[in-house]
Amino acid sequence: MTTHEVPQALLVEGFRARRSFGFGGLSKSATIISTVVLVAEGIIGVQAPVTLVVTLPVTGALIALAAARRHGMSALSYYWAKVAWRRAARVEATSYRRVLLPHPYALDLPGVGASSTLIRAHDPTTGKHVGVVHDRASGHMTVTTLLAPGGSLMAPTGAVQSSLRTWSSVLDAMSTDEQIKGASVTIQITPGAGEALGDDVKVRKDPNAPRLAKQIIDELVRTTPHATASVAPWMSVTVDPTASANPPADLAEQVAETLKVVDGLDLSGTGTDIMRRATDVDLRRLVRSAYDPATFNARDKDFEELSWSECGPQAADDEWETYAHDGGVSLSWVLREMPRRPIAYSVLLPLLAPGRFQRRITLAYRVLDPYEGEAVLEREISNAHQRAAATAEVKGRAKWSQRADAERAERAAAQVAGGSQVVDWTLMVTTTARSAADLPAARQELERAVKATRGIRMRPAYGAQGAVFAATLPLGYNPLVRD
């Protein structure tokens, strides 16, 4: 079904990036800083006019860089990040080597996962073990739920609409729960999972079956590794167990409080089938196989004895546009801009289609509480009208894009007044090639998948490849969650 064949009821819209009010393409903070600097230079220039020969060109260049755009961000931010990354690379801060050092946390995971630790907890509601990732720095805990791969492309329109409404109710529950700080949904596609299927068929094959049936099954098993993919979806919820009326006293009570909060989220009716809470073995498998894809189909007992630090890489190099680690090199892209037109609910399907390389697609959420969401939209409406008014004073009329942006902000405010929720969210995609020689092919495959979405704009995670790589894993790191 193409985008044009999707019923109007299944088109979604309302995506809008926050925009502060500033002059000449500057943000609000950049406008204030520029004004303060220019005033200070004027005061100094009264006493020493010669200084203006140096300060004015430098200030003008910085203001021009702040106003210019590069890859969806200000050019000043882009080049500042590149300078900071080069300084870090010069002192080898972007390289990780797992070695034994006389330090209690010397063998932690690299980067943003360094403060995380894995807890094996007992879930009294199911009687099974659950893996809980604890962030020692913030105190937040993350529980991951394994989902069953499925879809709604063949479902009736009414069923899809019902699933969307139920998912909206889940977001509403998140917005009113102060303990839920954020959530993310990840779908991992690993090509060539036919070996595991072959082992399963071998065990279940009836030796008394007809010869022709055996030949057909053997032929299917032989060709399967080149034609199939393993799909592993999961949802991670980050909880602050201490944000309650009666904060837990110790770690065990914090884990119990976290499990109680996560159990309160009802995903039934959202179109997803829940398999179970991820165990500590499941989390070790997901993390370790991301750093070393060759271990994805290993047996559970191969992960049972791994410590949390051993799930990470032996060595990793966080480059400007790539992330080299055990068994592969990864590319991570982040959302730059969503289409301004209504899009089909199946817009991410090209990104979810299997390819030659392992790929993870992550949607990270932070649902604003009703009061914060209303305040944000009111501020966005004011900023949009101020930008239009400023342009009208200079050019005689506001730009049509500014008018349309103000209308979208007002329409979003009207939806919130009717009970909708404001959600900060982002999209992250990571693809992993087994060798550096396959990296150009992996990049081309990812670029084609993004273009096939027909409107979603993404860009490489410049200087943050390791952080985005970790954000697509159940490590307890969500870039939208505030400490």
Side-chain angles (χ1 to χ4, degrees), residues 30-50:
T31 301
I32 295 175
I33 293 174
S34 300
T35 303
V36 172
V37 171
L38 290 174
V39 171
E41 289 180 356
I43 295 174
I44 297 174
V46 173
Q47 304 296 328
V50 180

Side-chain angles (χ1 to χ4, degrees), residues 276 279 281-282 284-285 296-306:
R276 53 184 166 80
T279 65
V281 176
D282 294 326
R284 292 190 185 100
R285 176 189 292 276
F296 180 80
N297 291 317
R299 295 177 175 87
D300 286 346
K301 66 179 182 179
D302 296 330
F303 298 97
E304 291 177 354
E305 301 301 326
L306 286 181

Side-chain angles (χ1 to χ4, degrees), residues 426-439:
T426 188
L427 174 66
M428 298 169 285
V429 180
T430 295
T431 185
T432 300
R434 295 296 181 94
S435 65
D438 293 332
L439 201 57

Side-chain angles (χ1 to χ4, degrees), residues 49-98:
V50 180
T51 60
L52 297 178
V53 178
V54 178
T55 58
L56 282 180
V58 173
T59 303
L62 292 177
I63 293 175
L65 286 174
R69 309 297 293 177
R70 184 169 177 82
H71 301 296
M73 67 185 86
S74 71
L76 182 61
S77 299
Y78 173 82
Y79 290 116
W80 180 263
K82 195 161 192 176
V83 170
W85 177 84
R86 286 181 175 176
R87 288 182 59 190
R90 192 177 300 115
V91 298
E92 298 183 350
T94 59
S95 297
Y96 170 83
R97 301 294 182 269
R98 187 160 67 89

Side-chain angles (χ1 to χ4, degrees), residues 89-374:
R90 192 177 300 115
V91 298
E92 298 183 350
T94 59
S95 297
Y96 170 83
R97 301 294 182 269
R98 187 160 67 89
V99 295
L100 181 60
L101 297 174
H103 191 278
Y105 301 132
L107 296 181
D108 283 338
L109 296 176
V112 296
S115 61
S116 67
T117 184
L118 180 61
I119 300 174
R120 185 185 185 188
H122 178 75
D123 188 358
T125 59
T126 61
K128 299 180 180 179
H129 292 290
V130 177
V132 179
V133 178
H134 179 217
D135 191 327
R136 297 187 296 258
S138 63
H140 296 167
M141 293 186 174
T142 301
V143 177
T144 299
T145 302
L146 302 182
L147 308 175
S152 56
L153 293 179
M154 302 297 292
T157 300
V160 178
Q161 285 182 299
S162 177
S163 299
L164 293 176
R165 285 193 297 266
T166 306
W167 181 247
S168 177
S169 300
V170 173
L171 296 179
D172 183 65
M174 290 184 182
S175 69
T176 56
D177 194 330
E178 296 181 354
Q179 293 181 278
I180 298 180
K181 297 302 179 181
S184 63
V185 177
T186 300
I187 300 178
Q188 178 174 278
I189 301 101
T190 304
E195 292 85 353
L197 179 62
D199 294 339
D200 183 63
V201 171
K202 184 177 180 180
V203 174
R204 300 170 61 183
K205 188 166 58 175
D206 186 356
N208 300 321
R211 181 179 179 182
L212 179 60
K214 292 181 180 180
Q215 291 177 347
I216 294 176
I217 290 297
D218 292 339
E219 179 67 17
L220 288 174
V221 170
R222 186 181 65 83
T223 58
T224 288
H226 306 284
T228 63
S230 174
V231 181
W234 64 83
M235 179 178 180
S236 299
V237 179
T238 300
V239 176
D240 183 3
T242 61
S244 62
N246 298 312
D250 54 19
L251 186 62
E253 292 184 3
Q254 292 178 11
V255 172
E257 182 70 17
T258 299
L259 293 176
K260 183 176 69 174
V261 171
V262 175
D263 288 339
L265 289 177
D266 186 10
L267 297 181
S268 59
T270 59
T272 58
D273 295 328
I274 298 176
M275 293 179 60
R276 53 184 166 80
R277 301 286 184 218
T279 65
D280 56 320
V281 176
D282 294 326
L283 296 180
R284 292 190 185 100
R285 176 189 292 276
L286 292 175
V287 175
R288 182 59 195 153
S289 63
Y291 287 106
D292 187 4
T295 64
F296 180 80
N297 291 317
R299 295 177 175 87
D300 286 346
K301 66 179 182 179
D302 296 330
F303 298 97
E304 291 177 354
E305 301 301 326
L306 286 181
S307 65
W308 186 235
S309 61
E310 291 175 330
C311 297
Q314 297 286 341
D317 292 304
D318 194 354
E319 303 294 338
W320 180 246
E321 291 189 42
T322 61
Y323 185 60
H325 50 85
D326 296 355
V329 184
S330 295
L331 298 166
S332 294
W333 285 27
V334 295
L335 180 65
R336 176 176 172 177
E337 185 181 9
M338 286 294 292
R340 300 179 182 179
R341 54 175 173 78
I343 57 176
Y345 75 102
S346 57
V347 66
L348 295 180
L349 190 60
L351 287 173
L352 302 176
R356 288 180 53 194
F357 306 97
Q358 184 185 74
R359 187 186 305 162
R360 284 188 305 281
I361 301 91
T362 298
L363 281 168
Y365 299 92
R366 186 179 76 89
V367 187
L368 280 61
D369 66 72
Y371 297 104
E372 183 184 0
E374 183 179 357

